Amino acid sequence: MEIKANELIWQGKSIDRILVNGQDFFGKDKSIALDNLTYDAIDKVKVYEKENEFTEKTGIADGDKKTVMDVSLKDKHKARFIGNVHAAGGTKEQYRLGGFITRFTDRLRTSVLAEAASQMPTMIDMGNGRTLGSGVQTGKNHNQQYVGEIVWNNGRLSNSKGSVNLNTFVKYAVYDKYNESVRSEELFVTLDNVVFSLSQLKESNVWRELNSKMNLKWQMTEKIYGNFNIIFNNIWLDTESHRRIASFSNTPYGESDAVLDNVWNNSPDMESITIHRNRQRSESSQDSNNIQIDATIIQDLLQNKRSLTWYGGFQRTEKDNSYYNLSDILYYDRYKTEVNRQYIPQDELRTWYNASVRYTETFSRDLSLIAGYSFLHIYDNNNRPLYQLDSLGGEWANTEIPVWSMPDGDLLQSVLNIRNSVYSKRFQYNHAVELKLSFRNKVWTAVAGIVLRPEQTRLEYQREKIDTSIVRNLFYPSPTVYIKRFFVNFNFDVNYSAVEKYPDPINMLDYVDDSDPLNVSRGNPDLKPSWTHNSSVNLRYYNPENEFSINNSLRFSVASQGISSMLTYNSATGVRTTTPKNVDGNYSINNSTNTNIRLDKKGYLFLSPAISVGHQRYHNFVQLDMNRSAESATSVLRGGISSRLTYRKANTQLTLYGGWNGENLNNNVDADFKEFHYNFSLGSEQMFELPLSICVYSEIDLSWNRGYAIPP
């Protein structure tokens, strides 16, 4: 086991969920179990691929499964409270304070978590396709969360008649975050023209979230099983941001690192190469409520041979958004200043109904047919009026008055920006017919099938001169193949799926959105559907006698007629116009290998080397002039190698680790452009136990990064 990027990894595979005594433990939040279950309470740990409820109840595999870690607690801890209180400290307001307590018996588990924490994150990112760039982000995040979970069963075996399992979950959390980030970008416009952009963002937000869920699993009769859910979520978000942006016709980096300060101080050196500068201040709030009710009934008509599965669900989401924005732009080619003050109250409503039925028939001991039909109806109502307050002139074009200032009554209605206000209703009707063949015995599992999807979408859309009603009827298949082979200590599996994706009807309308004067977007009536093919091959070997294991995973994805974007750039003003466009040639291929080697007979010393390699290619378009466009293709070759040497004996563990990751970028628009980034790390971890059950843990971590030059 190891943790990488906040993911729990076993033999190269991510753990989807952590179970405790076979039951869900705080859903998808694996951190609660990892941080609060003490090692001395654990009896054993099992990792396996857990079948979904359909396969568990019918015995017929459909290829849908998740990798879980099932933690069994020691019997001596039953009917006892297990918990902890933790506190931490540090500099620059870093702190952590909280507690966790749980009590479980054969029939009841109650768990409560309360925690307050502060952290200072630091992030470095690298290239990302058409606009190659990098950034540094730091911030202060203050988090509070209060979580409670009760799991109860009536004491009967899960598959026996009358078995009931009830799970209730409630979480209330507050996230108060402040982040500062700096980002630079290089945009390849022509073979001899590279545009440099630099942005600085200071943002704070408060996020309050209330989640609750009640799940009931009921084996109603020997042949009828039900799963019922009621879910409610409320999210309230308040955000305030300050941003400074500038674009340059040549590299702005020189003797001084305070590039943006020099721009706003009207430095002569900066003025000669600056295309535009933009200062933005914004405040926004969002209140969102969501309720979901669904039920699944599995009826076993003939044990392990014939079954019916029924599903019905309802969901409703309401969002109330308010957005205030003020920006002032200076175009250096004409020394013209433009003030843009906007107020956008946006209401969103989504309602969906879903129903399905699935029939299975077993032809022989190992071969089964799965046939199903499902229906989904979605209704979306989105109203986004945009009020252009600066058009009132006078004080409303003054950048000194508060962002949230609003005119009274009819005066507000007089500045409605019809060009960029949007009112839309969407009615979507999805049908799906599923046909699968499933073969399963002690050695082989194979599933092959196809899903046929007729779909109708009706869009009512209003925007300036566009007042249209569109009806679109689609039909597209989605084939899937899953094969798995078991050996004594070795198994492999192969997955393949293909998905056809149609463009959003809104992106196919002939509209222009210039609500952000520097970043204009427009639709493309000529968009076509895209196909994405995904496949993977996984091989795993594990020998329990010498604890040797090896895992290899190969993943490949390719898209035809993928939906990308075409960028039209005005070199005089720095205005960018993006239009969705179909493009071929986007693909990615990645291979990773992880091993674990025991170096001594007693099992104290282990070596765990790993290697990965991958290649990715992105395609976009850059408009050179009114009649010509160039295809911009960025190729990224990635690779990495790492190793861990670990000594474990009783409650003592010593680990040495090291690793290197690198990526090489090339862009065809600029033949001379070649960027190479890498990260190299070395470190050690030490853990040992003192008397009185005092555990001492220490870590040393050293890292070296090479990427883009970023000012401090």
Side-chain angles (χ1 to χ4, degrees), residues 334-592:
R334 62 196 75 171
Y335 291 94
K336 173 188 175 184
T337 300
E338 177 180 344
V339 175
N340 194 39
R341 181 188 291 271
Q342 298 173 338
Y343 166 58
I344 305 174
Q346 183 175 5
D347 297 323
E348 300 177 63
L349 171 65
R350 163 168 282 201
T351 304
W352 64 254
Y353 306 91
N354 192 10
S356 65
V357 59
R358 193 185 225 190
Y359 174 77
T360 60
E361 179 70 38
T362 301
F363 299 122
S364 65
R365 185 181 63 180
D366 303 323
L367 184 63
S368 302
L369 170 68
I370 303 171
Y373 167 77
S374 64
F375 171 75
L376 172 65
H377 169 56
I378 301 176
Y379 168 70
D380 283 323
N381 190 348
N382 189 347
N383 297 321
R384 193 199 74 170
L386 188 153
Y387 298 94
Q388 200 71 44
L389 304 182
D390 55 89
S391 64
L392 292 170
E395 65 174 356
W396 300 105
N398 183 354
T399 59
E400 299 304 320
I401 66 173
V403 174
W404 43 263
S405 299
M406 296 289 295
D408 297 326
D410 296 338
L411 196 59
L412 178 63
Q413 295 300 320
S414 68
V415 293
L416 179 64
N417 185 332
I418 300 177
R419 177 182 177 85
N420 291 308
S421 295
V422 176
Y423 306 90
S424 68
K425 294 181 180 179
R426 186 196 304 258
F427 304 85
Q428 186 168 324
Y429 304 90
N430 289 26
H431 305 264
V433 178
E434 175 190 31
L435 293 172
K436 284 185 179 180
L437 278 176
S438 171
F439 177 84
R440 185 180 189 183
N441 59 24
K442 294 182 179 180
V443 177
W444 287 95
T445 297
V447 180
I450 189 169
V451 181
L452 307 176
R453 302 180 186 274
E455 175 185 304
Q456 183 186 83
T457 301
R458 179 162 60 90
L459 175 67
E460 297 177 5
Y461 188 86
Q462 293 180 339
R463 182 193 195 115
E464 195 189 21
K465 298 178 181 179
I466 302 176
D467 187 352
T468 184
S469 180
I470 301 172
V471 177
R472 184 173 71 174
N473 293 290
L474 305 174
F475 179 84
Y476 49 98
S478 298
T480 60
V481 176
Y482 172 77
I483 300 174
K484 186 168 185 176
R485 175 70 160 87
F486 296 91
F487 297 91
V488 177
N489 297 327
F490 170 79
N491 66 74
F492 79 92
D493 61 76
V494 178
N495 293 268
Y496 167 79
S497 64
V499 178
E500 187 178 19
K501 183 178 181 181
Y502 283 82
D504 191 299
I506 293 178
N507 289 335
M508 300 182 68
L509 296 175
D510 190 10
Y511 73 89
V512 177
D513 187 330
D514 57 359
S515 53
D516 181 351
L518 295 177
N519 296 281
V520 180
S521 61
R522 63 187 310 159
N524 179 8
D526 298 324
L527 276 180
K528 299 178 177 61
S530 63
W531 271 97
T532 302
H533 303 266
N534 299 292
S535 61
S536 66
V537 179
N538 301 288
L539 300 96
R540 300 180 186 89
Y541 173 82
Y542 176 67
N543 188 334
E545 295 182 359
N546 58 13
E547 298 186 73
F548 174 77
S549 68
I550 184 169
N551 173 79
N552 190 84
S553 178
L554 174 65
R555 300 182 182 277
F556 181 75
S557 177
V558 61
S560 59
Q561 293 189 158
I563 299 176
S564 184
S565 62
M566 181 172 70
L567 176 67
T568 303
Y569 184 78
N570 187 322
S571 59
T573 63
V575 175
R576 307 182 185 196
T577 301
T578 57
T579 306
K581 190 176 180 66
N582 292 109
V583 63
D584 287 323
N586 289 347
Y587 68 86
S588 66
I589 181 170
N590 297 278
N591 189 83
S592 60

Side-chain angles (χ1 to χ4, degrees), residues 61-77:
D62 65 354
D64 184 12
K65 57 184 67 182
K66 297 184 181 298
T67 303
V68 302
M69 183 175 79
D70 194 344
V71 177
S72 299
L73 302 184
K74 295 177 181 177
D75 288 339
K76 70 177 183 180
H77 290 293

